[in-house]
Structures are given as structure tokens and as C-alpha cells.
Amino acid sequence: MTATPTPRVTIKDVAARAGVSKGAVSLAFNHKPGLSEATRDRIFRAARELGWAPNLTARTLAGSRVDVVGLAVCRPARMLGLEPWYMEFVSGVESVLAEHSCSLLLRLVRSLDEEVGVQAAWWRGRQIGGSILVDFRADDPRVDLVERLGLPVVAVGHPSLTGGLTSVWTDDATAVTEAVRYLAALGHRRIARVGGAADLGHTSIRTAAFDEAAGALAPAGAWQVATDFSGDAGARATRSLLTAAPPDRPTAIVYDNDIMAVAGLSVAAEMGLRVPQDVSLLAWDDSQLCRLTHPTLSAMSHDVHGFGAEVARTLFSVITGSGEAESHPVPTPVLTPRGSTAPPGIRV
Amino acid sequence: MTATPTPRVTIKDVAARAGVSKGAVSLAFNHKPGLSEATRDRIFRAARELGWAPNLTARTLAGSRVDVVGLAVCRPARMLGLEPWYMEFVSGVESVLAEHSCSLLLRLVRSLDEEVGVQAAWWRGRQIGGSILVDFRADDPRVDLVERLGLPVVAVGHPSLTGGLTSVWTDDATAVTEAVRYLAALGHRRIARVGGAADLGHTSIRTAAFDEAAGALAPAGAWQVATDFSGDAGARATRSLLTAAPPDRPTAIVYDNDIMAVAGLSVAAEMGLRVPQDVSLLAWDDSQLCRLTHPTLSAMSHDVHGFGAEVARTLFSVITGSGEAESHPVPTPVLTPRGSTAPPGIRV
DNA sequence: CCGCACTCCTAAACCGGTGTAGTGACGAGT
DNA sequence: ACTCGTCACTACACCGGTTTAGGAGTGCGG
């Protein structure tokens, strides 16, 4: 373990080698005017020879931009691991951050209050240049916090939840409606929905949209259950929905994520119900998981990676204040039919 | 958007309010000797009243500890989203970091070379105080890098892969052997293994262990396939294993992660084979997913969250140099039998 | 009464950059 | 010949902490 004491090379060394002042090096590396091409070249050459790159810490302290973006996620660890959505989202965010040599500061928090504290501390301490806010609730305290702090953020959520914050969202209401329409078109008249955590804003939106759509299109019955997104909860919900005698039992179930749909599939099997003949199942998000079950899961499908990338891009325009940081939706999830949905009552 | 210009409160303000010098405040907040209890109290009171907390950036620049830990993950985004292991691991790491008010700098990289660059840049730029290294390969370039840099790290991987680095690992060889023994004890004589990415060190270890164990215990046949950990690859591998006519077909398959086992389950169903009657399936890691399938998946089970926590704890002792930063294994995965394994050939 | 050790605290020099005011040189305008 | 303006660059004060060397006050032995 010969821990060679890394020979720290600083801006001063580069300046000396290029025969200029620190200031000149700084100007060169920030692509600011006031330097001749010749000097600029000389500086870059010296830097390359010394293997120098500006120290982000010092740069931050000196008051310029911060090259770190914050993301605090507030969901129990158990659920996170299984929710493919997050990692896909993060990887989408990263893909854009990397282009700007920007890093992601990630924190798992246990409550919204803790997140509020973390975001405030990060911002006050100049740890981050901006933040991505996810999982909005009704009357979310982060809306106020952000305005009080002046923290540049992009809110992931429908504008009705995110106050005046710049937001990027998926149009869940339309997607839910499309899901219900599809099932109704197949002939289903008794439709259920296994929703996510009730306190999450997008859950309410989906719930309301389902109410409306199913009220009109599923005259024989519409049910909704709130869960915590976990597979176990999805299994429980499915079990209770399917134990009713046939006339009171839904013939189709929409899930709020893939995991619960997988769990639902397994419950159906365990109860001796065939999918899709006896009951149709529709997943949400459409991760790879949907193609790994038997039957494969029909799903409301969207590009989560691309969503993350778009959020990151928007955050950059918020941070740089480059005007075009408008709130906007990303493409609405589209229905991808697979093996788990069919007209009701079919015996193949 | 009334961006209130946050009133930055610095150490100077606290010092002024407490009637002492900046240095005194610094001493107090770092719990260093040289201050009377009275003064100390006065300082803390002033800080509390002003809502001040030391600025990490400045603190870092001034050469003291860095409260950020790096983690670069090198796997394609598609796979990451589905691999429950990572998020669970990260959440375990976080749980310990949080206790030390330390953050996680996360980066998804596309190659080992890129990771080497990222780690070097982070360390040279004092962005991190230490790093967690995962997914070791044979002759991993990070071993040298770390020693050259003097970067404090904990390597997640068997010592045979991680050179002299402090490492924490799961004893995969023993676990694989146990898995094979269990299947053999059930009566299986033709056993296959669907492994992960061949270039990963822990895959080789498992492969070798399987070779040895299955060579002895599965005289009628032992197969191994390398994949990329994705469900699709798992499905393909399973399909090709199961298409052989019965005498050349394995009666039990061990998978290197849960996703592939789920995929395998679906392939078996699609081919009309019953699990576990016609073929037994054994998953690895034992995320919630294993309890969401039908039949439920038997698995080699371990506490990934706890693993992450232990890695973080070890990293802290490496960073502080508090002697006891010894390499050590965490508990070996244990067999958790569920519905997907049974003696071969049983017709229920 | 002086020297000495010890405690408690301050001033000032850092850390590695950024921003700004200011300097010298050079060309143009009159 | 004397301004005036630009251009290219430097010197130096920051950012918000940490860390030293050292000073003022106190207690104690000789």
C-alpha cells in the first residue's frame, strides 16, 4: 500500500509553466474573451502537459456555477429496489448531466420534511446548482421552499401539483383514460385499478381520471384500491378484488406499476384464474419485466430514460436562465398490448 | 417567482454574534480542544440562532475532510433499472452515509476506462473523500489506479480480484456450492447455471465453483451459460437449455440474479414445462420479486441492504484510517426454498 | 518578583480558484 | 505630439472555511 502522495497540480503551476498569471489561465479555461489565441494555446498546452483540470471545489467556492445536481428520493428502500422506474430515470438524467460534466448528488430520505431539510442544506451550502424534485403531493411544501430559497429546480409532476415551478410531466389522466377505453373496447364492463400511494399527486390524478373514464365506460362496475406500489400490496389488492363472485368481480385490472402487475399475475394463477381468459391485466411503465412473464404483460408504455434526459435538459435551461425553460409534458404513455389482455370471458 | 436573495450567513456572522473570532467558531464546530465550555456554548447558541451550518465547499477547500463518497456504476442503463441489487445496495450505503451527514456522488459510466477517469478526476478535484468500487474484473485497472492515487476505497469483491484493496465480499463460491448441493440433495443429477456477464470477476468465481460442485454432484450433466444479466438473455439461455430432449435436458437451473430466474420461469411456462415438477429453478439475491411469481421462486438469499451498509461502514474506517479497516466477507447467501424447487420428475 | 507552564483565544496565512480594477503597449484620430 | 480607445494581461481582493503561530491572562514554584 504505497500511497503515493498525489502531487497536486494547481492553477498556479499551469500559470507558471505557460508563463502567465493565474487569471489568464482562468480566463482561458472559462472561454472568456481577453486573451490572444497564442496565449490561449500556450495555456491549454501547459495544462495538458501537467494533467491539470480546474478544481471544482475551489471554483464553486469562488462563486461561479456549481456542477452538481441534487436528487432526493423519498420512498422506502424496499420499494425502490424493485421500482425499475427510478434507475431508468436516473440513468436518463445522468446521460444528459454527463454531457455537461455534471454530477448527480443522490440522497434517499425517509420523509418529505427530511427532503426539505436536505434540499435547503444543499443549496445554502452551495453543494448543488439545482435540483430535480419528484413525487409531488398535494400542497407540497417544496413549492414554497424552492421559491423561498430561489433554488433552480425542475419539478417532475403535473403543474396542478407543482405550483409555479418549472415542471415536466407525463399526462397520466389521458393515459389512464386510454387504458380504460382500450379495456372497454375489448368488451370489459367491470374494471378495477390498483393504484399507487394515495398521498402521491400523480396517484390522485390517475384516480380521478379513472373515476371519470370508468364511470362512463364500465357501467357494470369500477373499483380502485390504493397501495404502496410494492408487489406485496399489489398481490393483496388483486386477491381482494378477485375473491368476489364473478358478477361482482372485475374482468380487467389496471396497475400503477409493473411490479404490482407481476404480483397480480401470480395471484391470478394462484387462484386458478387464467390470464387473459378469466381476467385481463394491464401494467404501467412497461419495463423489461413486462416481457418476462407468462403471459407477457400488456402495458401503458413510455420512455422513462428519455423522460429523465428531458428533465435534466430542462433543469439546465432553468439554471442557466436561458429563457426556454418552459413547463411541458413529455409524450403520453401509449398502450402496448401483449398477452395479458383480451376480451372478457373468452375460452381459448 | 420572487426569488428572495437568500441571506447567506457565514462563519463570520456567527463569530460576530458570539463575540469571538472565526477561528474559535471553527474550533467549536470541529470539537477541537482549546475552548472553554462557556465559549463553546455561546458559539453554538449563536449558530443555532442564525441557523448556520458550516459550508462544506469551503471546508473541503480548506483541506479538511470531504463529506462525499463516490460510486461509479458501469452497466448499461437498461439492465440497471431492472437489477434490484443496485438500488438496495445504494440504499444500504446511504443509510450509513446519512448518519455521518455524508452524501453519495453517483455516476453511471459506460466503460471501465471511463470509470477510471471519473474516479481520478473526482479524487484529484477533491470532490470525494473516498469511493466504493463495484463489479471487479480480472486484472482490474482500478487496483493500480487507486494505489497510484492514494484514493481511499472499499472494493466490493473477492480479494482475489481486488488486489491489496480493502474489500468486502460475499462468498459466492460457497453459496454456489450450497445451491448445487441442495439441488443434488433433492435428487437432481442434471443441473445448469445461467450466469451473469462473463467478464465480471464474481461470475468467474461462481463459474469455477459450479464447475467443481456440479462436476462432483451432477454426474449426469452440468451446463453453464454466460449472459448479460438481462431478462431477455436469461430467457434465451433458458430456452436453449430446455429445448434439449429430456435425457440431455437439465432438471434444475440456477440463475445469477432474480430477473433471469423470472424470465426462466416464463420460458418454462411458454414451453409447457411445469415448475417445479418438470424443472426446478433457483434464483439469486432474493429480492421481493421472488415472492411475486407463481410458483414463488426459491433463491439464494442475502441482505443486500445490510451489505451496502457494511461497505459504507468499512469505507469510513478506511477514510479515517482507524485501523480496523480489514477486508472481510459478509454472511454467505443462504438457501431459501420456495415453490420453484422440488425433486425431479415429481408429478403432483 | 520573575520565570514557566498552561489555558483560552486571536490574527493571519492558507486552500484553489474567480472577478475586477488597473497597467502598459500599440494604433488611430486630430 | 498628444490624447483616446482597445487589447492583452496582471495584481489582488475575494469566496468561507481550517490551521497555524503567537499573545494575553492565570496559577505556581523558586
Side-chain angles (χ1 to χ4, degrees):
Chain A
M1 188 68 92
T2 24
T4 317
T6 315
R8 291 208 178 289
V9 27
T10 79
I11 199 174
K12 216 181 306 183
D13 304 316
V14 176
R17 188 177 234 277
V20 297
S21 67
K22 296 197 311 175
V25 178
S26 176
L27 289 180
F29 266 77
N30 292 315
H31 302 105
K32 296 203 174 167
L35 249 38
S36 68
E37 271 315 308
T39 314
R40 218 172 274 275
D41 284 353
R42 207 144 31 86
I43 292 174
F44 280 122
R45 187 154 4 99
R48 198 168 344 106
E49 286 162 4
L50 266 46
W52 177 82
N55 178 321
L56 293 194
T57 306
R59 183 179 269 189
T60 297
L61 183 56
S64 90
R65 198 76 70 260
V66 184
D67 298 308
V68 175
V69 163
L71 174 63
V73 170
C74 174
R75 291 222 195 153
R78 282 290 124 90
M79 259 136 265
L80 266 183
L82 264 178
E83 185 69 271
W85 194 89
Y86 276 100
M87 267 290 186
E88 285 242 23
F89 179 75
V90 166
S91 89
V93 169
E94 284 269 12
S95 68
V96 170
L97 294 191
E99 290 168 10
H100 299 244
S101 26
C102 194
S103 307
L104 215 222
L105 202 52
L106 180 74
R107 183 85 159 245
L108 305 183
V109 294
R110 265 157 302 290
S111 71
L112 210 48
D113 284 347
E114 187 181 349
E115 167 163 2
V116 166
V118 166
Q119 298 281 5
W122 275 348
W123 177 244
R124 286 186 341 226
R126 286 182 143 292
Q127 293 269 104
I128 56 173
S131 245
I132 294 172
L133 268 27
V134 297
D135 284 344
F136 272 79
R137 281 133 166 93
D139 295 316
D140 200 292
R142 289 172 294 180
V143 176
D144 277 352
L145 174 81
V146 163
E147 304 215 327
R148 219 166 44 237
L149 251 35
L151 166 65
V153 301
V154 166
V156 173
H158 192 272
S160 64
L161 299 163
T162 59
L165 307 181
T166 304
S167 20
V168 179
W169 73 93
T170 52
D171 184 352
D172 284 324
T174 302
V176 164
T177 304
E178 176 170 340
V180 172
R181 279 214 190 109
Y182 164 68
L183 293 170
L186 284 179
H188 293 275
R189 293 296 174 268
R190 296 194 302 279
I191 306 179
R193 171 173 165 271
V194 175
D199 54 340
L200 254 34
H202 74 261
T203 301
S204 324
I205 291 178
R206 293 183 194 181
T207 302
F210 183 86
D211 259 342
E212 191 173 324
L217 298 169
W223 299 262
Q224 295 200 64
V225 193
T227 67
D228 60 6
F229 283 113
S230 73
D232 285 340
R236 270 195 304 279
T238 306
R239 211 169 279 126
S240 96
L241 284 167
L242 294 183
T243 43
D248 289 329
R249 186 212 287 162
T251 60
I253 308 180
V254 186
Y255 293 86
D256 253 17
N257 69 4
D258 293 337
I259 301 298
M260 296 196 294
V262 170
L265 191 60
S266 131
V267 166
E270 146 206 324
M271 295 178 67
L273 295 173
R274 288 161 314 158
V275 174
Q277 294 91 331
D278 300 322
V279 59
S280 284
L281 266 30
L282 187 55
W284 201 283
D285 283 344
D286 195 18
S287 62
Q288 208 188 21
L289 210 48
C290 293
R291 281 170 291 127
L292 298 183
T293 56
H294 188 82
T296 53
L297 285 166
S298 302
M300 295 306 293
S301 166
H302 60 325
D303 176 12
V304 178
H305 182 94
F307 184 34
E310 181 55 25
V311 168
R313 269 190 292 270
T314 308
L315 180 55
F316 275 116
S317 42
V318 170
I319 290 177
T320 61
S322 60
E324 3 102 34
E326 288 302 315
S327 293
H328 62 282
V330 295
T332 303
V334 298
L335 184 90
T336 303
R338 295 209 184 80
S340 66
T341 47
I346 288 209
R347 314 270 148 179
V348 179
Chain B
M1 188 67 95
T2 23
T4 317
T6 314
R8 291 208 178 289
V9 28
T10 78
I11 198 175
K12 216 180 306 182
D13 304 316
V14 176
R17 191 179 232 282
V20 296
S21 69
K22 293 196 315 175
V25 177
S26 177
L27 289 181
F29 265 77
N30 292 313
H31 302 103
K32 297 205 172 163
L35 289 181
S36 68
E37 272 314 309
T39 314
R40 219 172 272 275
D41 285 352
R42 206 144 33 85
I43 292 174
F44 280 122
R45 184 151 11 94
R48 198 167 346 104
E49 287 162 3
L50 266 45
W52 178 80
N55 178 320
L56 293 194
T57 306
R59 182 179 271 192
T60 297
L61 184 56
S64 90
R65 192 96 61 272
V66 183
D67 298 306
V68 175
V69 163
L71 174 64
V73 171
C74 174
R75 290 222 197 155
R78 281 291 124 89
M79 259 134 264
L80 265 183
L82 264 177
E83 184 69 271
W85 193 90
Y86 276 101
M87 267 290 186
E88 284 242 23
F89 178 76
V90 166
S91 90
V93 169
E94 284 269 11
S95 68
V96 171
L97 294 191
E99 290 168 11
H100 300 244
S101 24
C102 195
S103 307
L104 215 222
L105 202 52
L106 179 74
R107 183 83 159 244
L108 305 183
V109 294
R110 265 158 302 291
S111 71
L112 209 48
D113 284 346
E114 187 181 348
E115 168 163 3
V116 165
V118 166
Q119 298 281 4
W122 276 347
W123 176 244
R124 287 185 341 224
R126 286 181 143 293
Q127 292 270 102
I128 56 173
S131 245
I132 294 172
L133 269 27
V134 298
D135 283 343
F136 271 80
R137 281 134 167 93
D139 296 317
D140 201 292
R142 289 172 294 180
V143 176
D144 278 352
L145 175 81
V146 164
E147 305 213 326
R148 217 165 46 237
L149 251 35
L151 166 66
V153 301
V154 166
V156 173
H158 192 273
S160 63
L161 298 164
T162 59
L165 307 180
T166 303
S167 21
V168 178
W169 73 94
T170 51
D171 184 351
D172 283 323
T174 302
V176 164
T177 305
E178 177 170 340
V180 172
R181 279 214 190 109
Y182 163 69
L183 293 171
L186 284 179
H188 292 276
R189 292 297 174 267
R190 296 194 301 281
I191 306 179
R193 170 171 166 271
V194 175
D199 54 340
L200 254 34
H202 74 260
T203 299
S204 322
I205 290 177
R206 293 184 192 179
T207 302
F210 182 87
D211 258 342
E212 192 172 323
L217 298 168
W223 299 262
Q224 296 201 63
V225 194
T227 67
D228 59 6
F229 284 113
S230 73
D232 285 339
R236 268 194 305 278
T238 307
R239 211 169 279 127
S240 97
L241 284 168
L242 294 183
T243 43
D248 289 330
R249 187 213 286 162
T251 60
I253 308 181
V254 186
Y255 292 85
D256 253 18
N257 69 4
D258 292 338
I259 300 297
M260 295 196 296
V262 170
L265 192 59
S266 130
V267 166
E270 144 206 325
M271 294 178 64
L273 295 172
R274 287 163 314 160
V275 174
Q277 295 90 330
D278 300 323
V279 59
S280 284
L281 265 29
L282 186 55
W284 200 282
D285 283 345
D286 195 16
S287 62
Q288 208 189 19
L289 209 49
C290 293
R291 281 171 289 126
L292 297 183
T293 55
H294 187 81
T296 52
L297 285 166
S298 302
M300 293 307 293
S301 167
H302 59 326
D303 176 12
V304 177
H305 181 95
F307 183 35
E310 181 55 25
V311 168
R313 270 189 292 271
T314 308
L315 180 55
F316 275 116
S317 42
V318 170
I319 290 177
T320 62
S322 59
E324 3 103 33
E326 288 301 316
S327 292
H328 62 280
V330 294
T332 303
V334 299
L335 186 92
T336 302
R338 295 209 184 82
S340 66
T341 47
I346 287 209
R347 311 274 148 177
V348 179

